[in-house]
Amino acid sequence: MLADLRSEIESGTVPVGSRLPSESALAARYGVSRSVVREALRSCAALGLTETHTGKGTFVVSGRVSGDLVLGRYSARDLTEARPHIEIPAAGLAAVRRSEEDLATLRGIVADMALEDDPAAWVALDATFHCHIARTSGNKVFESVVTDLREALAHQSETLNLIADRQHASDLEHQKILAAIEAGSAELASAAMAEHLEAVGRALGSLGSSPPEG
Amino acid sequence: MLADLRSEIESGTVPVGSRLPSESALAARYGVSRSVVREALRSCAALGLTETHTGKGTFVVSGRVSGDLVLGRYSARDLTEARPHIEIPAAGLAAVRRSEEDLATLRGIVADMALEDDPAAWVALDATFHCHIARTSGNKVFESVVTDLREALAHQSETLNLIADRQHASDLEHQKILAAIEAGSAELASAAMAEHLEAVGRALGSLGSSPPEG
DNA sequence: GGTGTCGTGCTGTCTGACAGGTTCACGCGA
DNA sequence: TCGCGTGAACCTGTCAGACAGCACGACACC
């Protein structure tokens, strides 16, 4: 039943943020006792999929298993320092390995970002853009690491604010990255991503070695 | 009590491979009921720290939480392709940020490797060496990713065999890396690591895009 | 010596119960 | 009518006790 519950969450059948049925209800649905349900929920919680609050219920907090990058606490410096080394080669590979479907998705994201006014929504799209490039690289290691990095970053509101501040500049840089990937040039794509991350890094520079906020 | 149990496992107080006390015993030790113990053990199992077998007990299978890099399945190509992008900059940072203690540890590992005859033991030391360089980089992202990559690699016996085949060549390259880190030169350390990984990559080249063995 | 059986210990699951936190609606008073 | 307090309903957290199934070792028997 753990597998069933987990697949329901990971497949998105149960949307992120929603409340799961109560333990008793789940027990009745699956025909098991509450103990079994509780242990399954504990597993999901350990994997970072759910959180349960006394008296309120258990809530889906993520659609995917969090890597230890997220579980651990990373300083903004660590994240900023590591990103280029992974995202730049990922962009290069993406330019070589992209499919038409990938290109369509990336174009859609970039178009949406240009129209987005809400900073929080824009930052979310920004994360989607970078994650999809990593996925387009065809290397699952890059995909996992970038997704984890981005998720870890999502816990640092200070950093997110600074990212949102340069929305228009980033939009232009994203378009440049996309164009390079469309052109199929690993060199240009890497360079464009490097330029983008460098600019972001400068904007985040004021953070210095400040600790994460948890 | 989960935190207590988990820290006991992660700190190595309970060695990997050993059997934990029975659920009843743990319940008595912590002064809680068996339900609580079972849920804590479920969490540990979900994190990949323990495995429990009906009728036998629960056993410690890992001293650290496995990232999703390990949980997922990665091809040898993905791993080989991603390693340089993370380990080379990590080596560079390690050269700049290493402490005397780090140097002593690394020297010890390299010395042990030179004397090691058993291929399996040597490969384990090799993993320790690379992981400790990542740790020495002072960047927890690099540390996590390298450790995860190495753990993922540990599931691919074919790759491990090829790594073990060039034991003597690797020993020399490791010494060169260590010397560069001792000298405090990020440039030399990166170059030495690049050279090493390139050589390993060539040796693994025959793998091509063969799937992981699971 | 080899083999089969029994007892012990452990996990897996169920039942029923109670304490404490959370939320919401109802009713009372201003 | 509006504001507020109270209480019921629901939820999770934890406990105690019980039984079935599996694994393993000891012991008796052949």
Side-chain angles (χ1 to χ4, degrees):
Chain A
M1 94 144 255
L2 200 178
D4 199 49
L5 187 61
R6 183 174 164 181
S7 72
E8 243 182 47
I9 295 175
E10 290 185 328
S11 70
T13 307
V14 184
V16 172
S18 67
R19 215 196 100 213
L20 259 54
S22 72
E23 297 175 352
S24 310
L26 285 174
R29 179 201 293 184
Y30 288 99
V32 296
S33 74
R34 199 155 78 93
S35 324
V36 179
V37 172
R38 279 187 62 78
E39 287 175 19
L41 290 178
R42 280 291 218 202
S43 294
C44 287
L47 292 172
L49 292 174
T50 63
E51 277 179 9
T52 105
H53 301 272
T54 307
K56 296 169 68 174
T58 105
F59 299 82
V60 179
V61 295
S62 172
R64 65 182 285 274
V65 174
S66 298
D68 51 358
L69 283 182
V70 182
L71 300 177
R73 292 190 183 165
Y74 295 89
S75 67
R77 188 206 70 173
D78 283 357
L79 294 175
T80 309
E81 190 172 83
R83 276 187 71 188
H85 296 294
I86 295 152
E87 297 205 33
I88 291 174
L93 286 175
V96 179
R97 297 182 183 157
R98 83 277 189 277
S99 68
E100 280 306 319
E101 195 180 339
D102 289 325
L103 287 179
T105 304
L106 289 173
R107 284 192 199 105
I109 298 172
V110 169
D112 287 346
M113 292 180 79
L115 301 174
E116 187 57 64
D117 283 332
D118 178 32
W122 184 86
V123 167
L125 282 172
D126 180 54
T128 309
F129 179 74
H130 284 276
C131 290
H132 198 83
I133 287 182
R135 176 187 297 243
T136 304
S137 78
N139 186 311
K140 287 191 179 299
V141 174
F142 285 147
E143 182 183 339
S144 293
V145 175
V146 170
T147 309
D148 281 354
L149 286 182
R150 205 53 207 225
E151 205 168 325
L153 215 52
H155 295 333
Q156 306 189 3
S157 58
E158 194 182 353
T159 306
L160 293 184
N161 290 338
L162 289 174
I163 289 178
D165 280 347
R166 52 188 311 287
Q167 177 169 342
H168 296 299
S170 280
D171 275 343
L172 293 177
E173 290 157 14
H174 287 162
Q175 286 162 19
K176 198 168 170 184
I177 295 170
L178 174 56
I181 292 178
E182 282 177 325
S185 164
E187 202 172 328
L188 286 180
S190 297
M193 178 64 85
E195 192 182 334
H196 173 49
L197 291 178
E198 198 180 333
V200 173
R202 271 198 305 272
L204 266 51
S206 55
L207 278 174
S209 57
S210 65
E213 61 165 4
Chain B
M1 94 142 258
L2 200 179
D4 200 49
L5 187 62
R6 183 175 164 180
S7 72
E8 243 182 46
I9 294 175
E10 289 186 326
S11 71
T13 307
V14 184
V16 172
S18 68
R19 215 195 102 215
L20 259 53
S22 72
E23 297 175 351
S24 310
L26 285 175
R29 180 203 290 184
Y30 288 99
V32 296
S33 75
R34 198 156 80 93
S35 321
V36 179
V37 173
R38 279 187 62 78
E39 288 176 17
L41 290 178
R42 280 290 218 205
S43 293
C44 287
L47 291 171
L49 292 174
T50 63
E51 276 179 9
T52 106
H53 301 273
T54 307
K56 296 168 70 174
T58 105
F59 299 82
V60 179
V61 295
S62 171
R64 65 180 288 275
V65 174
S66 298
D68 51 356
L69 283 182
V70 182
L71 301 177
R73 293 191 184 166
Y74 296 90
S75 67
R77 189 206 70 173
D78 283 357
L79 294 175
T80 308
E81 189 173 82
R83 275 187 71 188
H85 296 293
I86 295 151
E87 296 206 33
I88 291 174
L93 287 175
V96 179
R97 298 182 182 158
R98 83 276 190 276
S99 68
E100 280 305 320
E101 196 181 337
D102 289 325
L103 287 179
T105 304
L106 289 173
R107 284 193 199 103
I109 297 171
V110 169
D112 287 347
M113 292 180 79
L115 300 175
E116 186 59 61
D117 284 333
D118 178 34
W122 184 86
V123 167
L125 282 173
D126 181 53
T128 309
F129 179 74
H130 284 275
C131 289
H132 198 83
I133 286 182
R135 175 186 299 241
T136 303
S137 78
N139 188 311
K140 287 190 179 298
V141 174
F142 285 147
E143 183 183 338
S144 292
V145 174
V146 170
T147 310
D148 280 354
L149 286 182
R150 205 51 207 227
E151 205 168 325
L153 216 52
H155 295 333
Q156 306 190 3
S157 59
E158 192 183 354
T159 306
L160 292 183
N161 290 338
L162 289 174
I163 289 178
D165 280 347
R166 52 189 310 285
Q167 176 169 343
H168 296 298
S170 281
D171 275 343
L172 293 177
E173 291 157 13
H174 287 163
Q175 286 162 18
K176 198 168 170 184
I177 295 170
L178 173 56
I181 292 178
E182 282 177 326
S185 164
E187 201 172 329
L188 286 179
S190 297
M193 179 64 85
E195 193 181 334
H196 173 49
L197 291 179
E198 197 179 334
V200 173
R202 272 198 304 272
L204 265 51
S206 56
L207 278 175
S209 56
S210 66
E213 59 167 6

